[in-house]
Amino acid sequence: MSDKANIGVTGLAVMGRNLARNLARNGQRVAVHNRHRERTDELITRFGDEGKFLATGSLRELVDTLERPRRLVIMVKAGTPTDAVIDELVPMLDSGDVLVDAGNANFTDTRRREAALIDRGVHFVGAGVSGGEEGALHGPSIMPGGSTDAYRELEPILRSIAANVDGTPCVTHVGADGAGHFVKMVHNGIEYADMQLIAETYDLLRKVLGREPAEIAETFRRFNTGRLNSYLIEITAEVLGHVDSRTSRPFVDVVLDQAEQKGTGRWTVQNALELASPVTGIAEAVFARSISGQPRLRADAAGLPGPSTEPVVDAPERFVADVERALYASKIIAYAQGFDQIQAGSETYEWNIDLGAIATIWRGGCIIRAEFLDRIRAAYDQTSGPAGLLADDDFREALGEAQDSWRRVVATATAAGVPVPGISTALAYYDTVRAQRLPAALIQGQRDYFGAHTYRRTDLAGVFHTEWSADRSEHED
């Protein structure tokens, strides 16, 4: 057996350390490096008995410790720090070596980096890794992009460390250059939307029904036994049921209500605008976090008037059932929008992404893992076309069954003054795409009036303009 490592990891913060441990636990010989040597030494001291680690003190030593073709994973902060590590490593690498960025990089950076390394013969792989620190250790969902040759070099290793559902590892070659990080970006956008919908559900049950967090935790535990079964619903019940040790108050009541964000949700929305792919649920979730983080705005607006009367819910359990249906229907819309964005990106960047395969690898390891994704995978095995998930018979049926409940929930929330931007925008999107005719016709008339931007007619081919400031005659442009 070679005394060299078959894969290396540089960057041993929590994610990098746990990924290295996962690799070692699954039979890989792992060379490890961190720019602060004490982290490398700590890994070896605490976890060296978990597998075969080779500690290195410099990037040069790390590269020299790897068998060829070299496989090297970068786990450092996205952006400039990643570029700095790449710039230092590349002169040491040879044609055929594989360099993997497993951080949360912007896919546009990944495309740039991959293009820059092609001429050197170095394979650059942007790999989305989801599951947090526990996933990195016990089995994440992995979304590698890059060339097929690079994936061939990495596939056995990645399959050995990925989460596994029903015998299927949660890893697949997503597509060329930045496809892996693009899909991870949209995953995180969907995660934002899903979390916002769950938070709104909690808020409704608390403010409309007056229930306490511990009782609502039991409701979420019940939700988790049905079609909403998912990691996020599971941990929601745990958070709501937790009691603060210092105050003996519900934990959720002592946490500052200002949600932070690291940027992937914002990137998702920015890219969706460029692709003209509506992701209204993700956008509302991003904006909801932004509003929560503006205490001066909220303090100044706190005295604004609200509803003069509050709705009375005569049948609380019926309302809970309504909320469950509204949450499920809104979740369908959020995921449909996310998958539509992946499809749009795949076509624009020529990635040929298999949407069913993405649903498959998201069933385990990642933050949005859910029973629901089995249904999505089946839908993409059976359905194609611009309507996406909404064309699937099972989802159409679920949306149909949710109609009255969904609308009652939005109406009740509005009457009570409880903000539900995620649930209400999901319903608005649904009503928009199913409408036989939209008010966009009026917008086209307005645009032609003030800017001579022209319009098309329903009864004639061609492009037309009306002389609004003259005799209002119409002519074809």
Side-chain angles (χ1 to χ4, degrees), residues 241-354:
H242 182 54
V243 175
D244 176 53
S245 60
R246 294 186 182 182
T247 64
S248 298
R249 295 172 60 196
F251 170 76
V252 74
D253 285 349
V254 301
V255 176
L256 189 65
D257 61 340
Q258 296 177 19
E260 298 179 359
Q261 50 187 314
K262 292 188 174 180
T264 47
R266 183 171 64 251
W267 294 347
T268 306
V269 176
Q270 290 169 339
N271 174 260
L273 290 171
E274 294 172 1
L275 295 174
S277 182
V279 290
T280 56
I282 298 171
E284 288 291 352
V286 172
F287 290 137
R289 291 196 190 190
S290 298
I291 293 172
S292 79
Q294 297 189 38
R296 289 185 59 188
L297 168 65
R298 295 171 58 196
D300 289 346
L304 293 175
S308 57
T309 60
E310 294 186 3
V312 176
V313 177
D314 295 324
E317 289 308 314
R318 177 189 171 188
F319 183 72
V320 172
D322 280 349
V323 168
E324 189 273 344
R325 295 187 192 100
L327 173 58
Y328 187 69
S330 300
K331 186 182 178 83
I332 292 172
I333 298 299
Y335 279 67
Q337 291 180 346
F339 274 89
D340 287 349
Q341 182 176 357
I342 294 174
Q343 180 63 41
S346 178
E347 293 171 359
T348 298
Y349 307 118
E350 300 181 347
W351 284 329
N352 195 31
I353 296 174
D354 183 338

Side-chain angles (χ1 to χ4, degrees), residues 22-34:
N22 188 351
L23 287 162
R25 286 176 170 189
N26 284 283
Q28 311 303 327
R29 294 168 57 84
V30 189
V32 291
H33 166 265
N34 194 79

Side-chain angles (χ1 to χ4, degrees), residues 98-113:
V98 183
L99 195 56
V100 182
D101 176 9
N104 260 342
N106 191 318
F107 81 96
T108 57
D109 287 340
T110 303
R111 300 189 82 197
R112 168 179 57 80
R113 292 162 180 156

Side-chain angles (χ1 to χ4, degrees), residues 454-468:
T454 72
Y455 53 88
R456 297 181 184 273
R457 296 178 59 96
T458 61
D459 54 351
L460 295 172
V463 177
F464 298 87
H465 169 62
T466 294
E467 298 293 344
W468 296 100

